[in-house]
Amino acid sequence: MHTPPAHTSPTNAWPVGDLTIHRIDETRLPPQTGEWLLPDATADLVAQHDWLRPDFTDPDGRLRLHTHSFAVTLNGLRILIDTGIGNGKPRANPAWNDLRTDYPSRLTAAGFAPEDIDLVILTHLHADHVGWNTRAHEGAWIPTFPRARYIVSRTEREFWAGYAMDEPRRQMFRDSVHPVEEAGLLDLVDVPPDGLDLTPGLRLIPTPGHTPGHIAVELTSRGAGALITGDCLHHPVQFAHPAIGSCVDIDPAQAATTRRALLASLAERHTLVLGSHFPPPTAGRVIPDGDAYRLTPPPAT
Ligand SMILES: [Zn+2]
């Protein structure tokens, strides 16, 4: 019997045409995260959707949420999408404060050693998506991916530049965004309404609402497609209830409009959806269900 290495197990790597998209795990968020983040997703509402169990919710109806990155090799480029919470970062949220995970060794084990990463795409500038932009080194925060170009929407960067940030958010920019800018590694890109091709097969899709410059990432190969959500969808319960938004959406109405349009488009195109906070099995197809949708993971192979 041949046992596949962990990084090719069907639960954390997905074929899309000629590509393989890898999930690089960081951590599971505490069980109370869901009721804070998505307060309208009550246990009673969750109980109405059998397909959410047992993978996407706990037996008591609490939402399961994880943090991870996705990694893919495309056109010879090693690409990482979002960088999690990071290690050793001082954070007001106790679940994010001073983490000690072995995320870098998981990246390396999947074939994406930090020094080999060419592109880091940031869906938006929140603390749980930019943390591994940097790592601690001799008392300073230095870029974790020294050869990479880090990509963020210009709208996103400029929004935060003009935002009255509280001290915890300023801290996050100091330790996870400014060092990358100061190293000259951050590229601001203009993302038009119909998207921007960064390289053939990789398209940035504007998905505003959670933040103004939020982008989702679409990967295509040989007629197959996948979409990495970032935080325009936090949890599969939002497939059944697209109106349910997160407590940290900058523009809740726009976030709901974005979710509805995106889900309709994904259902039509049979795209594989990979959720940036979805617990395993993490990915699936968008299937119409009543007046909304459900997420159907591909069968394990
Ligand atoms: Zn997030």
Side-chain angles (χ1 to χ4, degrees), residues 158-166 169 250:
E158 291 183 351
F159 170 75
W160 293 111
Y163 189 84
M165 291 194 254
D166 58 11
R169 202 182 295 274
I250 297 283

Side-chain angles (χ1 to χ4, degrees), residues 223-278:
L227 183 110
I228 294 169
T229 61
D231 281 359
C232 57
L233 290 155
H234 281 92
H235 188 275
V237 72
Q238 293 168 294
F239 288 59
H241 299 276
I244 291 182
S246 90
C247 68
V248 288
D249 290 343
I250 297 283
D251 184 338
Q254 189 174 42
T257 300
T258 290
R259 274 192 299 280
R260 287 182 193 287
L262 187 67
L263 287 166
S265 152
L266 293 170
E268 209 166 86
R269 292 179 294 142
H270 209 60
T271 303
L272 183 72
V273 180
L274 299 104
S276 296
H277 288 298
F278 297 1

Side-chain angles (χ1 to χ4, degrees), residues 73-248:
T73 301
L74 173 63
N75 304 331
L77 300 170
R78 285 192 179 82
I79 302 168
L80 189 62
I81 295 131
D82 282 342
T83 67
I85 296 166
N87 271 8
K89 300 279 163 94
R91 295 288 179 260
N93 181 339
W96 298 356
N97 184 52
D98 195 20
L99 288 195
R100 307 289 166 97
T101 74
D102 56 1
Y103 172 93
S105 51
R106 287 177 212 150
L107 257 182
T108 301
F112 297 84
E115 58 274 19
D116 293 337
I117 299 289
D118 298 291
L119 273 182
V120 176
I121 299 173
L122 304 170
T123 60
H124 63 300
L125 298 178
H126 273 168
D128 55 324
H129 296 260
V130 302
W132 275 107
N133 282 3
T134 60
R135 62 184 177 87
H137 178 70
E138 296 178 354
W141 295 106
I142 65 166
T144 307
F145 310 105
R147 287 186 47 252
R149 304 306 306 175
Y150 290 65
I151 306 291
V152 71
S153 138
R154 185 184 308 280
T155 302
E156 181 75 5
R157 182 67 191 96
E158 291 183 351
F159 170 75
W160 293 111
Y163 189 84
M165 291 194 254
D166 58 11
E167 173 51 25
R169 202 182 295 274
R170 280 204 296 273
Q171 173 65 38
M172 181 274 275
F173 272 79
R174 279 199 298 272
D175 62 41
S176 298
V177 179
H178 294 167
V180 173
E181 288 178 317
E182 286 157 11
L185 301 182
L186 190 73
D187 288 345
L188 306 184
V189 296
D190 295 303
V191 185
D194 61 345
L196 173 72
D197 287 325
L198 263 195
T199 181
L202 191 160
R203 191 165 182 82
L204 308 181
I205 310 291
T207 38
H210 179 62
T211 62
H214 188 282
I215 50 176
V217 178
E218 187 174 69
L219 293 158
T220 50
S221 170
R222 292 189 179 273
L227 183 110
I228 294 169
T229 61
D231 281 359
C232 57
L233 290 155
H234 281 92
H235 188 275
V237 72
Q238 293 168 294
F239 288 59
H241 299 276
I244 291 182
S246 90
C247 68
V248 288

